[in-house]
Amino acid sequence: MSYLGEEIKKLGFGLMRLPKDGEVIDVEQVKAMVDQFMEAGFTYFDTAWAYPGSEDAIRQALVERYPREKFQLATKNAAWINCKTKEEAQAQFTTSLKQTGAGYFDFYLLHNLGSQRTKVFDDFDMWNFVMEKKEEGLIKHIGFSFHSTPEELEEILKAHPEMEFVQLQINYADWENSSILSRANYEMARKYEKPVIIMEPVKGGLLAAPPESVSKVLKESEPDSSVASWAIRFAADLEGIITVLSGMSNMEQMEDNLSYMKDFKELTPEQKKVVQKAQEEMNKIPIIPCTSCNYCAKVCPKNIGISGSFAAMNLFTLYGNEASAKREQNWLVTRHGKELASECIKCGKCEEVCPQHIAIREELAKVAQTIK
């Protein structure tokens, strides 16, 4: 059955991590990357009001250099960032139009729904706002990006059937991850017949350098293929996909992605077995078995972000990347108004309610010692 975006090639240029010359985006290098991308037949570009300098860079590198009908441009509204009124939230749209010079957006997203952030879009009536802009011809297709549970996703899809697509974090490492719930969210979107745009297929670059045991499985199967290619191909192989976004920050990454996505074919049964084996190797690495039920959070007298702390620690355990672990801790703990693991007073109330029987006090001490 045909669906929105079926004709779009399955690699999208994510514009969040563009190359820089010092502290500013290197627009000349972006132009070269855009040219390479377009010459290979790819046309989908993804930016956001919240990506500093990105919308202006893509205006110079793409919009001012190619006919408007030759590409699709997507951008996003992050109403939960420092907006106190609906006028401020809606002004992001006007700013994006001005910064990109695009005239209209092919895909416009309410960005990063989930948890308390969804309420902001409700309070500012952003759902009706984007519908109005679509009716005015300034948006072709409306949707949203999402980070939360499949249950919450279903609530949004029921409340807003007018949304035409969903953008989700999907990769083979997070497919069964109890915090990310890639598979469950993907299946929920498909249940409501919404096509999916995939973000973070390489998990912010972490799957370009996965754990050694995982990398070994992938390289033994295809010595000449990059390990990152497996992540993007896994995502592109799913049904009902509009495109798979890759945040490319240099020409080397662009050329690697184009080499295997230009003539992308479905994964063979043998290749699917390789991915499954890689997932099994990933699952062998001992991580904290937290399911993010957050029963512990309800009884913690210090308001510690326990599940977020454990998610950050698991990220460090799997990939050994402290910077990524710190970002995860900042997002899941600090930005959500929770306290860090170092604030634990070892009262033990959390352990009394934990269905996974985790030694929470001991694990929090490890987090405090490791992610500083």
Side-chain angles (χ1 to χ4, degrees):
M1 188 173 73
S2 62
Y3 63 90
L4 169 65
E6 183 179 23
E7 76 287 354
I8 296 173
K9 297 194 76 169
K10 302 311 170 197
L11 178 66
F13 192 169
L15 305 168
M16 183 180 185
R17 304 177 180 93
L18 292 174
K20 289 189 173 182
D21 181 4
E23 295 299 314
V24 298
I25 293 174
D26 186 345
V27 174
E28 292 307 310
Q29 189 175 166
V30 177
K31 288 180 180 178
M33 294 172 72
V34 165
D35 291 345
Q36 191 100 333
F37 191 72
M38 293 285 283
E39 286 169 12
F42 295 91
T43 58
Y44 191 99
F45 296 82
D46 173 88
T47 183
W49 171 89
Y51 302 166
S54 177
E55 291 184 330
D56 182 66
I58 205 59
R59 173 182 54 78
Q60 297 178 64
L62 174 70
V63 177
E64 295 179 348
R65 300 173 64 241
Y66 286 88
R68 183 63 185 87
E69 70 276 8
K70 295 297 184 181
F71 59 86
Q72 299 87 34
L73 182 61
T75 196
K76 313 180 193 76
N77 182 292
W80 44 273
I81 298 181
N82 299 327
C83 291
K84 295 181 175 61
T85 66
K86 72 176 183 179
E87 287 76 20
E88 289 178 343
Q90 293 171 2
Q92 288 186 18
F93 177 83
T94 305
T95 299
S96 291
L97 269 183
K98 181 179 179 181
Q99 289 182 156
T100 61
Y104 64 89
F105 296 113
D106 300 273
F107 293 81
Y108 193 76
L109 297 85
L110 301 182
H111 186 36
N112 195 14
L113 274 69
S115 189
Q116 74 279 5
R117 298 179 301 280
T118 303
K119 187 176 183 299
V120 177
F121 293 96
D122 294 339
D123 291 346
F124 293 155
D125 197 27
M126 293 303 296
W127 307 98
N128 284 323
F129 176 76
V130 295
M131 281 291 291
E132 290 169 4
K133 294 306 172 184
K134 182 181 177 183
E135 291 170 2
E136 293 171 15
L138 297 176
I139 299 172
K140 285 191 174 182
H141 303 291
I142 53 176
F144 61 93
S145 62
F146 181 80
H147 288 277
S148 194
T149 67
E151 292 78 16
E152 186 176 353
L153 177 57
E154 183 167 34
E155 289 179 9
I156 295 172
L157 292 173
K158 283 182 176 179
H160 298 285
E162 73 277 11
M163 293 292 106
E164 299 172 86
F165 65 94
V166 181
Q167 185 164 306
L168 298 171
Q169 177 174 328
I170 295 176
N171 56 68
Y172 70 79
D174 291 329
W175 192 238
E176 300 291 352
N177 185 310
S178 60
S179 297
I180 308 299
L181 297 165
S182 283
R183 179 185 60 79
N185 278 316
Y186 165 74
E187 290 177 351
M188 185 60 71
R190 299 304 296 145
K191 174 183 175 182
Y192 286 84
E193 299 182 345
K194 302 298 181 184
V196 174
I197 295 170
I198 293 179
M199 58 183 164
E200 301 294 352
V202 194
K203 203 172 173 64
L206 292 174
L207 293 181
E212 185 176 349
S213 59
V214 175
S215 183
K216 182 180 178 182
V217 168
L218 303 178
K219 293 304 283 186
E220 284 182 350
S221 175
E222 293 182 9
D224 295 331
S225 297
S226 68
V227 291
S229 76
W230 285 93
I232 291 181
R233 286 183 287 162
F234 167 82
D237 192 58
L238 296 170
E239 294 181 358
I241 299 303
I242 295 176
T243 197
V244 178
L245 301 175
S246 178
M248 295 171 273
S249 54
N250 56 55
M251 189 61 80
E252 182 182 9
Q253 293 173 359
M254 173 69 73
E255 290 174 347
D256 181 48
N257 283 345
L258 295 180
S259 71
Y260 56 84
M261 288 302 292
K262 188 173 182 180
D263 298 307
F264 174 73
K265 295 178 177 61
E266 293 182 0
L267 295 181
T268 65
E270 291 73 20
Q271 289 172 321
K272 290 180 179 180
K273 288 179 182 178
V274 172
V275 174
Q276 184 177 358
K277 188 175 180 182
Q279 290 171 320
E280 290 170 355
E281 287 299 321
M282 188 82 72
N283 292 336
K284 289 179 183 178
I285 299 172
I287 60 175
I288 304 168
C290 175
T291 63
S292 299
C293 69
N294 287 318
Y295 293 156
C296 55
K298 293 179 173 62
V299 299
C300 178
K302 298 296 287 184
N303 192 35
I304 294 170
I306 298 172
S307 64
S309 297
F310 290 169
M313 187 66 184
N314 286 340
L315 200 65
F316 180 82
T317 300
L318 287 168
Y319 303 102
N321 190 312
E322 187 174 359
S324 292
K326 284 183 177 179
R327 285 194 295 271
E328 186 84 345
Q329 180 177 257
N330 180 60
W331 172 247
L332 294 176
V333 180
T334 309
R335 289 288 295 274
H336 282 71
K338 300 289 184 178
E339 297 295 329
L340 297 176
S342 56
E343 296 300 312
C344 177
I345 58 174
K346 302 187 184 304
C347 67
K349 291 181 179 179
C350 52
E351 295 179 10
E352 294 174 2
V353 300
C354 177
Q356 305 302 319
H357 307 292
I358 298 169
I360 294 177
R361 290 172 290 182
E362 180 182 331
E363 296 293 353
L364 285 175
K366 292 178 183 177
V367 174
Q369 186 176 7
T370 304
I371 307 175
K372 298 178 181 178

